[in-house]
Amino acid sequence: MEERNTELIDLFKQLINEKSSESENQFFKRLTETTLWIPSLGKIQEDNRQNFAMLMTGDGKQFIPAFLHKESKLGRFTEEQLVQIPYSRLKYLVIDSAIEINGIVISPFEENIVLDRKIMEIIDSRTMGMMLRREEHSGKLKLRKPEKVPEGLTRNLKQFFANSIEVESAWILKAIGETECEEHWMLLVDFYGEKIKLFPQVAEIMKPYMKPGEKFELIQKSPEFDTNQLETTRIYTRLSNKNLF
């Protein structure tokens, strides 16, 4: 792993010198395959989530410090604080954080590679073919049953959910926010566990079925969410394991 992380720095230096799309793509690809060391502040008791240390910039922005190996210059952090997290998981922690995290900074006391949310979206677009972000809707959200679901999507989702014991039910809808101009796809999922583990896999299933420019949203069903009026949009339920489309 250490050799791969050293290669990441070499690719970053190459990117700085060349400033080409090819060198960007090489750096982005290696980054998505990299495991980083993150300073932890321990686990939050109520939901057992990890609480990470932050670095704050002069203008008040917060970044998660990420180190390539335990022998990096750690500043005020210690080796005992470090936990290993793949970049592919760390980005979801940034996206889905309840507090405002502006991004990550790799080797903050050496190369100081700053990746803000915008750059992280570009990396996703280049390496995954889609951009991931947390959306906050203002006002009411209007939901309806789609006239047609892309052929094969329901079948593949149902098969995946059947092998995911934490998933209870799922609904596929079209949604539009009160202040929005265009509808988007929404997948509402009732499950136990962490979104950060389930949703990346679901997103990979949905991605090939989206037309250029189409957006989809993944939502975890909360206990107070009333689905009685959405029965015709249900595509999976573990109880009967029926395909309703």
Side-chain angles (χ1 to χ4, degrees):
M1 186 186 73
E2 190 168 325
E3 289 182 3
R4 294 173 69 84
N5 288 355
T6 301
E7 183 181 357
L8 181 72
I9 295 299
D10 292 338
L11 290 172
F12 176 71
K13 291 177 179 177
Q14 179 179 315
L15 170 59
I16 296 299
N17 291 329
E18 295 181 3
K19 295 181 173 62
S20 66
S21 294
E22 182 180 353
S23 57
E24 279 184 349
N25 290 336
Q26 289 177 335
F27 173 72
F28 293 165
K29 183 177 185 299
R30 175 60 68 222
L31 176 64
T32 61
E33 300 167 348
T34 299
T35 296
L36 299 161
W37 291 92
I38 312 299
S40 169
L41 297 178
K43 291 184 177 180
I44 302 175
Q45 294 301 315
E46 57 266 25
D47 57 8
N48 210 34
R49 284 186 297 112
Q50 204 80 34
N51 188 19
F52 298 106
M54 298 284 178
L55 290 176
M56 187 173 291
T57 62
D59 56 358
K61 294 179 179 179
Q62 293 190 106
F63 289 81
I64 296 178
F67 302 95
L68 293 173
H69 47 79
K70 297 180 78 170
E71 291 72 35
S72 300
K73 291 182 180 179
L74 302 180
R76 61 183 172 86
F77 307 112
T78 65
E79 283 190 30
E80 290 71 28
Q81 286 181 275
L82 300 179
V83 295
Q84 285 184 293
I85 298 183
Y87 172 83
S88 57
R89 183 168 184 265
L90 181 60
K91 70 179 181 183
Y92 287 103
L93 292 174
V94 174
I95 292 170
D96 202 45
S97 173
I99 63 172
E100 180 62 28
I101 301 176
N102 298 95
I104 68 174
V105 53
I106 299 174
S107 298
F109 307 115
E110 296 174 271
E111 287 77 19
N112 195 39
I113 305 172
V114 179
L115 304 176
D116 62 19
R117 284 175 175 261
K118 184 62 179 177
I119 294 175
M120 293 171 77
E121 286 181 4
I122 293 172
I123 293 170
D124 280 340
S125 180
R126 293 278 193 90
T127 59
M128 299 173 61
M130 61 181 175
M131 290 190 295
L132 308 174
R133 62 167 67 111
R134 182 186 178 119
E135 291 286 352
E136 299 290 347
H137 298 287
S138 59
K140 293 182 179 180
L141 195 64
K142 185 177 180 181
L143 307 175
R144 70 172 180 86
K145 180 179 179 179
E147 290 90 359
K148 185 179 180 181
V149 176
E151 185 178 354
L153 175 57
T154 299
R155 181 181 65 252
N156 285 338
L157 285 171
K158 184 174 180 291
Q159 182 178 5
F160 173 76
F161 292 146
N163 292 312
S164 303
I165 60 173
E166 69 271 30
V167 176
E168 295 293 332
S169 296
W171 300 257
I172 193 162
L173 312 111
K174 278 297 189 77
I176 186 168
E178 198 171 288
T179 60
E180 297 169 351
C181 299
E182 294 184 359
E183 287 185 315
H184 60 272
W185 290 94
M186 175 184 285
L187 186 68
L188 177 67
V189 188
D190 185 11
F191 69 97
Y192 303 96
E194 297 181 40
K195 289 187 290 184
I196 199 169
K197 293 180 179 178
L198 182 70
F199 278 6
Q201 299 175 75
V202 176
E204 284 295 328
I205 294 172
M206 293 193 67
K207 181 180 68 172
Y209 295 95
M210 297 296 105
K211 297 176 183 177
E214 279 191 319
K215 298 178 182 178
F216 64 89
E217 182 175 17
L218 304 179
I219 299 287
Q220 182 174 13
K221 179 188 174 297
S222 60
E224 61 272 15
F225 196 116
D226 184 6
T227 57
N228 289 331
Q229 305 302 315
L230 302 177
E231 194 58 33
T232 59
T233 69
R234 189 195 297 258
I235 61 169
Y236 175 80
T237 178
R238 179 162 295 279
L239 181 62
S240 60
N241 201 19
K242 291 180 180 178
N243 185 342
L244 302 175
F245 267 34

